[in-house]
Amino acid sequence: RVRLVESGGGSVQAGGSLSLTCTGSGFTYSVYCMAWFRQVPGKEREVIASVDIYGDVTYSDSVKDRFTVSQDNAKTTLFLQMNSLKPEDTAMYYCAADDNHLAKYEGCRRWNDWGQGTQVTVSS
């Protein structure tokens, strides 16, 4: 039911910036979680920033000082501002959603809906 579409990826030099956008639709519940994941070849997908049902953001240690997540007023669009990019940030970036009533009780953990991903490449 949920549809997520990422955009904004591209190629930049180290130290540069990129802004990613995730546009969501078809949410079943009035409260839900959204998150940004990334994955590099040969590695497992990792969550880099998640937004809980209250709008609080949790960042991974690798990006917390450089990346910033924000939402629109309707909380259906998720943004990712990436500054001071490093070659290690090169990855496919995905948007995900946890759209279920259990998130109120167990936190955000059922990442069942995903976007198609957008590639970010940082060169040195």
Side-chain angles (χ1 to χ4, degrees), residues 11-30:
S11 299
V12 298
Q13 291 185 329
S17 300
L18 279 177
S19 296
L20 305 184
T21 300
C22 171
T23 301
S25 62
F27 295 99
T28 300
Y29 300 97
S30 59

Side-chain angles (χ1 to χ4, degrees), residues 3-14:
R3 183 178 297 275
L4 303 171
V5 180
E6 304 99 332
S7 62
S11 299
V12 298
Q13 291 185 329

Side-chain angles (χ1 to χ4, degrees), residues 56-90:
D56 295 325
V57 183
T58 299
Y59 298 94
S60 68
D61 290 338
S62 62
V63 308
K64 67 180 300 181
D65 295 325
R66 300 179 295 119
F67 293 8
T68 302
V69 166
S70 60
Q71 294 178 293
D72 66 346
N73 291 333
K75 297 185 178 181
T76 55
T77 301
L78 193 68
F79 305 97
L80 181 64
Q81 178 64 48
M82 304 184 293
N83 298 323
S84 301
L85 284 163
K86 305 175 181 179
E88 307 94 276
D89 296 317
T90 295

Side-chain angles (χ1 to χ4, degrees), residues 109-123:
R109 60 187 299 181
R110 300 173 185 257
W111 305 109
N112 295 321
D113 301 291
W114 297 84
Q116 82 289 348
T118 184
Q119 179 68 39
V120 172
T121 302
V122 184
S123 60

